[in-house]
Amino acid sequence: MDDLLELLAKKRGIGQEYTDIWGKTTRISPENKRAILSAMGYEVSEPEVLAGQIAHDDLAYWQQILDPVYVRRQQPEFQIVCRLPAGSDLRLSWRIEQESGEQLQGTVVITDSQKVKSFQYNELLFSEYSVTIQHNIPCGYHRLVLLSENEAQILAGSSLIIAPANCFHPGFIQQNQKCWGPSVQLYSLRSQRNWGVGDFTDLKALLRGIAAWGADFVGLNPIHALYPANPGACSPYSPSSRRWLNIIYIDVEAIPEFQANPELRKALDAAEEQEQLAQLRAVEWVDYRAVFAFKLRWLRQVFENSDLSTRTERGKALADYISAGGDSLLQMATFDALQNTLYAGGLDAWGPPVWPDAYREYNSAAVKTWIASHQLDIRFYLFLQWVADQQMAEAEQLAKGLGMKVGLYRDLAVGVSEGSCEIWANKDLYCPKASIGAPPDPLGPQGQNWGLPPIDPVRLYQSAYQPFIELVRANMRGCGALRIDHVMGLRRLWWVPPGAPSSMGAYVYYPVDDLLAILALESHRQRCLVIGEDLGTVPPEMRTLLHENGIYSYKVFFFERAQDGGFYSPSHYPEQAMSALTTHDMPTLRGFWHCDDLSLGRDLGLYPDEEKLQDLYRERHSAKQAILDSLRWHGILPDHIEHDVSWVGMNAALSHALQVHMGRGNSALFSTQLEDWLEMDKPVNVPGTSYEYPNWQRKLSRDLESFLNDPALAALADRLTNARKQRQKI
């Protein structure tokens, strides 16, 4: 039984062991492998059943003449493997149907010297051959067809993806220029005109302001679709769909149909409506429930009072958008409309796992019937996605028009939540019983469970990677850079079995070379730079792969430390990287310096061991002293700041010095956080918490109109712009 278990685990890409961030190697137990195989859908309790499943998988593989997909880098020739039963004609024809419509064709003679391996099942004998095709195929998505020698019979067909050697690098980087820009949680933007949450019009105002200050990009949190009917599920990293947008960012007053309707504009000016808006703007934390309720009420009025038939130009544009969105867009709109209906009926409908049985799968007869009888509700959510897409596109076009080198820099979450539209509509692609997470590391000493069901790598491969292609394409469209959260997931993901502690998972491996090639192809097509968030447990070979594929590393100052406790100079950071002082999962500069994260963690129960907590306080004191020493050595510490950290608090001068220190570094891109410009102390997110802290709800402390007109911040921006042109002391 154990031998069968090990064999199947190996076939399904479950790692035998892993080395953690501290260098300790841990072997994966048979129990963990059994649990993960079970989550993949295997019956693992009986040896005979297990053996039968292995035999079934083997036979299915050998009965496929061609693989579902071949991904190759562009070169004069490439190899494919094919499998043929004994006695087959070994002189075959092939045809490549190119994306352009042109065709290439040729023949191959298969000999024993090309044989890779053989397989026998009962009386059936199969052999696998390596076949060379000598043609320099252009990059793109093509189709490979294998035919009998006289082309009388099609034997098999497969996708053929040809990709460039590495990802797109914009011209300014090729000219050794460096740039900077702020990162922002879009919902956190305050303004004197928004509806209690940052929106696309606020984003445009920010772009205008920081472009005038010399910045070349604005980095955004994931703006994936969340849950309009379940506003409490507000984490941008646990979305409903990563292909579609979060409609909370729509500026209702910027919609042409609203602007063209004087009655709606007059109704919004009513005292009671303006009073609600003032209250939504004034609260310290984003009140998602109240914001969604207010926005959706007004969005529905705009929708119902608009002529969006195909007789109008706008109606035709909406129809074209719906047609282009296809099944995926219909699934998104149906999900939102159905979830809203279920909540309205009194059900706690947080996700399909708790919906009535008839509605738990998108392809069910009941859902089809529901769609037919709720066309207007579904069209409303189609309309909202269209409006969000238009307003987002306007921001992207503005960034380009302002001459920003990168423009918008978007963030792609690593997965979707178990209650998401993406899983509801594509259940066969996922393993909903397992969850993505991370093994123990400094950010999560007990390991992490993110509550995100993983994609089954085998099913992704069998789909010719189409879900991944569409995902990457949707998130790269129109932006100058894309950050891939937890980029190590392209190679391996930490799967946590159901009910197990996070530390008792295992790595499951993915076809990283194929995924990186597709990423490179889409990167060139969209002219989009790719940044990989490579923090945490990262094997050295993954860093090599990322570098070779032209993906930019993510260097966070507080993690870049030498063995003696000192901080590496940013002048030693790789050029092919984005650097940052801190991230959304870490304390702000002020919070770090004053140890607010440690005291908050104690209050939230994250540090139950007081002795270990005191060790963290002592280590923090040493780290701050090392930072001061480094700034002084680089000649950037202001004269009036003490050299002994015991007497130094975080203030504007020290904060600005740290940011300029990073700005002088070697990395091509430097991202700074608006929270640190405003000297804020409260974090965006506290890892390891769900409801203990109001994650993803904290607003900025000042509104756009205020800080974009602050001379001190303009001066900081000017220093950063100049710093990016300088070489740092080494």
Side-chain angles (χ1 to χ4, degrees), residues 65-67 69-72 77-83 92-94 96 108 110 114 116 128-133 144-146 158-160 162:
I65 294 177
L66 292 177
D67 292 344
V69 59
Y70 299 93
V71 183
R72 300 291 184 266
E77 64 177 36
F78 59 91
Q79 283 74 41
I80 64 166
V81 294
C82 65
R83 290 160 293 278
L92 303 173
S93 297
W94 56 262
I96 294 175
V108 292
I110 299 176
Q114 296 166 280
V116 178
E128 185 172 84
Y129 301 91
S130 176
V131 177
T132 300
I133 295 179
L144 171 66
V145 181
L146 202 61
S158 172
S159 293
L160 173 63
I162 304 295

Side-chain angles (χ1 to χ4, degrees), residues 1 39 41 133 177 195 314 358 396 432 482 486 586 609 611 616:
M1 179 69 173
I133 295 179
Q177 297 177 20
W195 288 19
R314 291 272 293 170
E396 293 164 345
L482 179 67
H486 195 69
M586 298 171 62
D609 189 321
E611 184 177 344
L616 291 175

